[in-house]
Amino acid sequence: MPKGSAINRALAAAVGVGAAGAAAVIAARAYRAGAAPPVGDHGAAPHPGAIGAEYAHAAAEQLSELITFRTVFSSFRDRIELEQFTGFIEALERLYPSVHATLGRELVNGHALLFKWSGTRADAGAKPTVLMAHYDVVPVDSRDDWTHPGFSGHQDGEFVWGRGALDDKGALVVIMAAIESLIKEGFRPAHDLYLSFGNNEETAGDSAQAAVDLLTRRGVQPWLVLDEGGAVALDAFPGLDAPAAVIGVAEKGILDLEILTRSAGGHASTPPRMGSTSRLAQAIMALEETPFPASMPEPIAEMLRRIGTHSGFAMRLVTANMWAFKPLVTQVLGLVGDETRALTRTTVAVTMLEGSKASNVLAATARANVNIRIAAGESVDSVVDAVREIIDDPRVQLTVRSGHNPSPISAFDNEQFALLSRAVAASYPQAVVTPYIQTGATDSRFFTAICPAVYRFSPLLMDAGDRASLHAVNEKVRISSLGAGVVFYRELLAGLA
């Protein structure tokens, strides 16, 4: 027998044994994942009846009124209805009298709010917590067909309708309602608690940075920061019937990049080849046809593992063995839908176009704004370099209009994340609690400079339609979810005692 043939057969046998062994390991891991205790079971005390029912109606009434204030911020000061912001702040004083009688409050950067609830311990400032929300909203287009007017705060017995119901007045209301109820019961936190409510988050304003600067000057180093971001999501993941409480442990960076092209212009009756608009279109199509490569940061891998424990065996077979299937799963997520695709890569969206001002005039310049959400591991500089390489045309000018890098990734195996998980278990006991990476920007990104444990989560139930209504038509929130949200924050604050 030739020596080479014997070696080949020995290798083949070894590979076969190894493959069989690997298959056995994969199956065993999938079986154990299914037998694991529910990841939503974090030791919170059971809550009787419909969770938060005793708080839901009052919270809905409060939110309905607060939605009627048109708190739309603008970079153009003469377009801001300042009386709407002032009226909102005055309404908070009336709706939450115990909060305003007990907590200190100051205005930051004009109309942002910073509250402080002093803790009872001698070292109360050693582990402060910051709860965040913003009360500014995006505009309502009068041409859009809302079922109920966007600033009506209409209630139909099931939902509160209007701009800000989900983003982000609903979260502000359940924070305030929880603290109001706890004060009336005689509760006081052991450690200092801050509430930071922004007034210009939707325009990427500077109020959150002003709040961070103020806290820094006072030597405040938060133990935990919680802002908007993730939610209790229904129908977000194939094969998962339970809601997923997705807690953002980081957020993608944002880059607004202007693409500019130039040509001679002139009369539209004698168009040149590859004028400014054609060159711009070519650049845009290059970006459309060449997406950024997909990757899977560790929080997304952990999210899939946790979701898999509540899915069928076939799903667990994959998610319990990410060491083997990670490349395949990364590609599949890019095909499932827009939400999952955004989790795995830097995304590019053309949001503004400008060319000729007349139908028979060639554009001398054409420009587009490209809004890019930068994935973990990338940076503003690396993305600009990649865009330049993809377009591959030296006559296309790129200008960074604004941008910031992705935030650091907060831990999801620490005491802070465990506390958030217990609060979810108390308010949404069927939910699968999981980390994820926030695809949108929040004010909390500024707080990463003074706190290593920054999270993004609103305890409000949202299905696919609800999530689609953010910044769109028919934004609304479930009244029952407002009650559960109050329970979430009560449990969270009790855990800080």
Side-chain angles (χ1 to χ4, degrees):
M1 178 187 301
K3 186 176 181 180
S5 298
I7 292 175
N8 288 339
R9 281 198 297 274
L11 286 173
V15 169
V17 171
V25 169
I26 287 171
R29 289 171 65 94
Y31 177 80
R32 287 196 300 270
V39 295
D41 182 9
H42 295 278
H47 200 281
I51 295 176
E54 66 270 39
Y55 309 113
H57 176 72
E61 290 292 322
Q62 295 154 9
L63 179 58
S64 290
E65 178 176 347
L66 295 175
I67 284 174
T68 63
F69 292 94
R70 300 184 302 276
T71 49
V72 179
F73 202 81
S74 173
S75 54
F76 301 98
R77 190 169 181 81
D78 59 347
R79 299 181 186 177
I80 303 173
E81 299 177 88
L82 290 177
E83 71 279 3
Q84 297 293 317
F85 288 78
T86 301
F88 181 94
I89 293 172
E90 292 172 349
L92 287 183
E93 295 180 21
R94 175 169 42 80
L95 293 172
Y96 307 104
S98 298
V99 172
H100 286 80
T102 305
L103 279 66
R105 192 204 75 182
E106 57 190 305
L107 297 178
V108 177
N109 199 36
H111 287 81
L113 300 169
L114 183 65
F115 293 83
K116 181 183 179 182
W117 196 0
S118 296
T120 58
R121 289 174 53 125
D123 61 344
K127 289 178 59 177
T129 291
V130 180
L131 302 181
M132 300 179 64
H134 66 88
Y135 71 94
D136 61 305
V137 297
V138 297
V140 171
D141 192 326
S142 60
R143 296 167 296 182
D144 290 338
D145 186 21
W146 284 68
T147 301
H148 305 286
F151 289 112
S152 67
H154 176 81
Q155 293 187 54
D156 62 7
E158 184 179 3
F159 294 96
V160 179
W161 298 70
R163 181 64 79 220
L166 293 172
D167 186 15
D168 185 37
K169 290 179 180 178
L172 186 151
V173 162
V174 296
I175 292 172
M176 294 291 274
I179 295 175
E180 184 80 7
S181 68
L182 287 170
I183 292 173
K184 290 178 179 178
E185 295 172 8
F187 174 87
R188 286 188 63 187
H191 302 279
D192 291 346
L193 175 71
Y194 293 87
L195 310 178
S196 180
F197 296 153
N199 67 317
N200 58 10
E201 189 272 350
E202 296 292 4
T203 54
D206 55 357
S207 288
Q209 181 65 67
V212 169
D213 292 342
L214 182 61
L215 293 175
T216 300
R217 290 196 297 272
R218 295 174 181 173
V220 177
Q221 295 181 307
W223 176 76
L224 167 67
V225 172
L226 179 62
D227 195 7
E228 64 167 336
V232 185
L234 290 169
D235 308 320
F237 302 98
L240 180 67
D241 294 329
V246 290
I247 299 176
V249 297
E251 61 184 56
K252 298 173 81 172
I254 294 184
L255 169 63
D256 275 314
L257 186 65
E258 182 187 80
I259 303 177
L260 178 69
T261 58
R262 303 180 188 276
S263 62
H267 200 281
S269 62
T270 56
R273 290 182 59 81
M274 198 53 66
S276 60
T277 53
S278 297
R279 191 172 299 281
L280 178 63
Q282 181 175 270
I284 291 172
M285 288 308 301
L287 291 173
E288 180 73 18
E289 294 169 356
T290 313
F292 277 72
S295 63
M296 186 176 293
E298 185 54 33
I300 303 303
E302 176 65 11
M303 178 187 75
L304 293 174
R305 187 193 68 77
R306 295 191 183 202
I307 289 169
T309 63
H310 289 255
S311 303
F313 184 78
M315 177 70 77
R316 294 202 308 273
L317 198 68
V318 174
T319 58
N321 295 281
M322 294 299 289
W323 58 274
F325 294 108
K326 191 173 183 178
L328 175 62
V329 174
T330 302
Q331 296 304 314
V332 170
L333 285 177
L335 302 174
V336 170
D338 296 337
E339 289 181 315
T340 54
R341 181 167 56 252
L343 294 175
T344 60
R345 70 181 71 233
T346 293
T347 59
V348 178
V350 178
T351 55
M352 300 168 66
L353 289 168
E354 181 183 323
S356 173
K357 298 296 190 294
S359 63
N360 62 344
V361 175
L362 298 173
T365 61
R367 59 171 50 87
N369 185 81
V370 182
N371 185 263
I372 301 176
R373 303 303 170 110
I374 306 171
E378 295 279 359
S379 67
V380 170
D381 290 342
S382 69
V383 167
V384 172
D385 290 343
V387 168
R388 185 174 287 110
E389 183 176 343
I390 291 169
I391 293 175
D392 193 26
D393 186 342
R395 289 164 292 187
V396 174
Q397 178 181 329
L398 303 180
T399 302
V400 173
R401 291 304 183 194
S402 64
H404 62 266
N405 293 325
S407 73
I409 297 176
S410 297
F412 43 89
D413 60 354
N414 58 2
E415 187 180 352
Q416 291 92 327
F417 196 88
L419 174 60
L420 296 174
S421 299
R422 289 196 300 273
V424 171
S427 50
Y428 297 93
Q430 302 306 315
V432 180
V433 182
T434 176
Y436 95 122
I437 293 183
Q438 168 80 12
T439 56
T442 70
D443 275 344
S444 69
R445 68 185 184 276
F446 296 107
F447 281 77
T448 60
I450 60 172
C451 178
V454 177
Y455 301 94
R456 302 146 186 92
F457 177 73
S458 295
L460 301 174
L461 189 70
M462 303 183 198
D463 62 18
D466 299 330
R467 297 192 295 275
S469 76
L470 295 168
H471 289 200
V473 175
N474 285 338
E475 183 178 350
K476 62 186 183 298
V477 64
R478 290 170 173 81
I479 293 173
S480 60
S481 184
L482 294 173
V486 174
V487 172
F488 171 88
Y489 280 108
R490 283 173 58 89
E491 183 76 18
L492 177 65
L493 292 169
L496 294 171

